[in-house]
Amino acid sequence: MLRDRLGIEAVLDGCSPQGQCGCCTVLVDDAPRVACVTPARRVAGRHVTTAAGLSADEQHRWSGAFLACGATQCGFCTPGIVCRLVGHERRGADLSDRATVDRALAAHLCRCTGWQTIREAAAHAASPSAETHDRDPEAAPRRASIETGGPQRSVPVSVLGALDFGADGAPPGTLTAVAGPDGLIHAESLTEARRQAGKVQGRRTTLEPVPPIQIPEPPPGTQWDIRLATCWTEPGYLETDAAWCEPGAQPSDPLANGGAFGGKKSSPVRDEAQHLANDLGHPVRVLWSREDTVRRGPKRPPLAAGLHTDGTGIIRIARTPGATEVLQSVLPNAEIVEVDLPGPPTSMDLRAAVWAEAQMLATALNRLQSGKWLNAGTTTVEITSSEGALAQATVGPAGIEVQVDAGDPLDMTTLRSYAIGASHMAWSWVTSEALAVDADGEVHDLTIRSFRIARSADTPHIQVTIEPSQRPPVPAGDAVFAAVAAATWLNRGAPAHLPTGR
Ligand code: FES
Ligand code: FES
């Protein structure tokens, strides 16, 4: 009702009506509530407050805290998280306590920041003497744009929900189109379009995810020294694909404020919105639901590898343009076999896709060749990206430590935020993420919780050290992702299947 009938775009929609991402969180009186599963009749006579309606003091303190700590990147999850934390603050919760904030964040997902900076922002807002980080308002967006590959703004309005995303800013009367069984169905509201399309929300399945490609058999009389098979995984960006367009005009950008880490590079929604607007002679907004994004959005190509210590062996990978070249550049002695795999589309556009997997295998081979397999409970891996960013990751009982040299940091807080986010994404991918896809290629895990993304409470502490440098700035994310993924996998003894479990 808030977005669809009242046009209040400060309330964001990452999964409605699944009630699982927390992006639509508002305060009902002072209690945080997920709006998309709260019937309007249940809140009759009560005050509903969005992030844009918080008090001037709350807006100032909380937007300041999120920006000071680098706790917002794309910002799609942020207004809902701020609403929840303010609700807890109003009721006297101790937001400097990690367990308290972890419990509050259990109702949310953030795909960009890796949680830690959000916990720091909560502590900062609760206690102005808490640790802060200097921001450079000129350099921060430059660093963010280098990391996301497109413009990104982190400003007070983005913390409070006043930034336009792909679905926002359309003129009054814009039609809304959703995917139906035989193409797009449009209507005057999202609710009506979904009703006409007969949309039934997907639920988590009982089907267990398994790697879709078998590890090849070794030549007779030999065995592989390194084996690795990966599952289907969902990038899980919070803002689902959305764009609107007026007839004869250019559509809005589904990438909006970044945050998809390559996942929307080839999104079809721009063309869908443009064609439909031209056909109808009327402005149209095309919205993918969460399950549309899972079914139609790109995934990392699953692979299965068996390698000998000298680097010979076989890697089977889901057929994806560019995958073989990347594998061969890192593992030149291995035979690469592309296989046709039924399932959702695969893409090399996603963060370090295939290159990180290749680096993990190459690092394991180097360890075997040098006889330095494990380092007394902690594992350190150093990886340099093709752009020249260097990341050293140490994974062990104390958590994750990352050292980054990505050229001129430009803005320490922003680079640190991206390094923490990439570390979380890698650790979560290696230890827990997987998507159930059956042998016919049909995706069964359609809700955002079923992607198994590591929660705040489950994520180890991530310590980031940034090397000062005068070199031109380069993106750090791929190098950090690959180094943390490799260190996490090796630290668990390089098991044959991902996810490894925690
Ligand atoms: S949009 Fe309501 S919880 Fe995700
Ligand atoms: S900042 Fe949380 S999803 Fe992007």
Side-chain angles (χ1 to χ4, degrees), residues 23 71-78 81 109-115 118 152 165 236-239 257-261:
C23 293
T72 184
Q73 290 182 18
C74 80
F76 198 80
C77 69
T78 312
I81 290 176
L109 271 175
C110 172
R111 196 47 165 157
C112 302
T113 64
W115 303 115
I118 297 176
Q152 183 170 87
F165 289 94
Y237 44 84
L238 266 288
E239 182 191 6
N257 202 35
F261 301 103

Side-chain angles (χ1 to χ4, degrees), residues 12-16 19-24 34 36:
L12 295 158
D13 176 356
C15 73
S16 79
Q20 295 192 354
C21 74
C23 293
C24 66
V34 181
C36 72

Side-chain angles (χ1 to χ4, degrees), residues 33 89 91 103 120 122 133 200 303-304 311 329 353 373 449 454:
R33 289 283 177 268
E89 180 184 59
R91 289 183 293 172
R103 275 195 300 279
E120 291 166 358
H133 311 279
V200 177
L303 60 73
S329 70
W373 184 245
R449 293 279 172 109

